[in-house]
Amino acid sequence: MKKQWIITGLLIALDQLIKAVIWNLAKDKHITLIPGILRFEPFQNTNLNWFASMANVVMPVFIMVIMQLLIAAGIVLFYKYQRYKSAKVNLWLGMGFCLALAGVGCSFIDVVFWGGSLDYIGLLDWFIFDMKDVFLNAGWISLVLWFYSKDYKASENNSITFKSWISNRGK
């Protein structure tokens, strides 16, 4: 699991490095990359999450931080449980863990240190997003692919329930 923590940390560092460079060198630049499809358009999103942005509601920082910590803990528990049940390491599970946890970690840093997310990738006329959003979506897609993998289906036959796994961890 040490490798997954390192990869997650590197993804978080990459996201934050990109944001620092944009903030210091290009926060006022707007560049059309593919007309009508893709653009570079830095925007400080202070609504703190996608749902709040769509509803144009500002979420309290305290609530967002608690949500992020709970989600991060859930991701770690889910990964450890699935690894315990699984006979071998699966690419989709490991990638899903790293990407999803990196996305939540980036979001935490955005909320606590940036006051919101510095989004910069404009797609069509829909929305502007950043690497954190790419990490989160790719992570969830990887976890869905894990659920359809033969490794997951083989682990379904394992009789270890989440409750019994948690109970045995304290012993």
Side-chain angles (χ1 to χ4, degrees), residues 77-95:
L77 277 174
F78 171 81
Y79 178 75
K80 286 185 171 192
Y81 173 62
Q82 292 301 329
R83 281 290 300 124
Y84 184 78
K85 280 181 58 171
S86 194
K88 62 180 183 171
V89 176
N90 180 280
L91 172 70
W92 297 119
L93 178 62
M95 197 162 57

Side-chain angles (χ1 to χ4, degrees), residues 10 12 25 30-31 48 58 83-84 87 101 132 134 139 145 151:
L10 289 173
I12 292 169
L25 301 176
H30 296 263
I31 303 167
L48 304 185
V58 177
R83 281 290 300 124
Y84 184 78
L101 192 60
K132 160 194 54 77
V134 174
L145 291 171
D151 294 336

Side-chain angles (χ1 to χ4, degrees), residues 36-144:
I37 299 175
L38 189 64
R39 65 196 182 282
F40 173 80
E41 186 177 338
F43 170 73
Q44 184 69 26
N45 182 351
T46 56
N47 289 343
L48 304 185
N49 70 47
W50 185 83
F51 297 110
S53 292
M54 292 295 111
N56 200 22
V57 174
V58 177
M59 177 176 272
V61 171
F62 176 76
I63 292 173
M64 190 65 193
V65 167
I66 296 297
M67 284 175 44
Q68 291 164 331
L69 293 173
L70 290 173
I71 291 168
I75 292 169
V76 171
L77 277 174
F78 171 81
Y79 178 75
K80 286 185 171 192
Y81 173 62
Q82 292 301 329
R83 281 290 300 124
Y84 184 78
K85 280 181 58 171
S86 194
K88 62 180 183 171
V89 176
N90 180 280
L91 172 70
W92 297 119
L93 178 62
M95 197 162 57
F97 169 77
C98 292
L99 289 165
L101 192 60
V104 173
C106 292
S107 179
F108 178 83
I109 292 169
D110 288 351
V111 168
V112 174
F113 296 105
W114 292 88
S117 179
L118 178 60
D119 295 334
Y120 52 89
I121 305 167
L123 181 64
L124 303 172
D125 284 332
W126 294 341
F127 48 85
I128 302 172
F129 59 98
D130 62 355
M131 287 302 294
K132 160 194 54 77
D133 299 317
V134 174
F135 296 160
L136 287 169
N137 286 301
W140 304 138
I141 290 167
S142 297
L143 291 175
V144 167

Side-chain angles (χ1 to χ4, degrees), residues 17 49 95 150 159 163 171:
L17 177 64
N49 70 47
M95 197 162 57
K150 62 183 178 190
S159 63
K163 184 178 177 181
K171 294 180 182 177

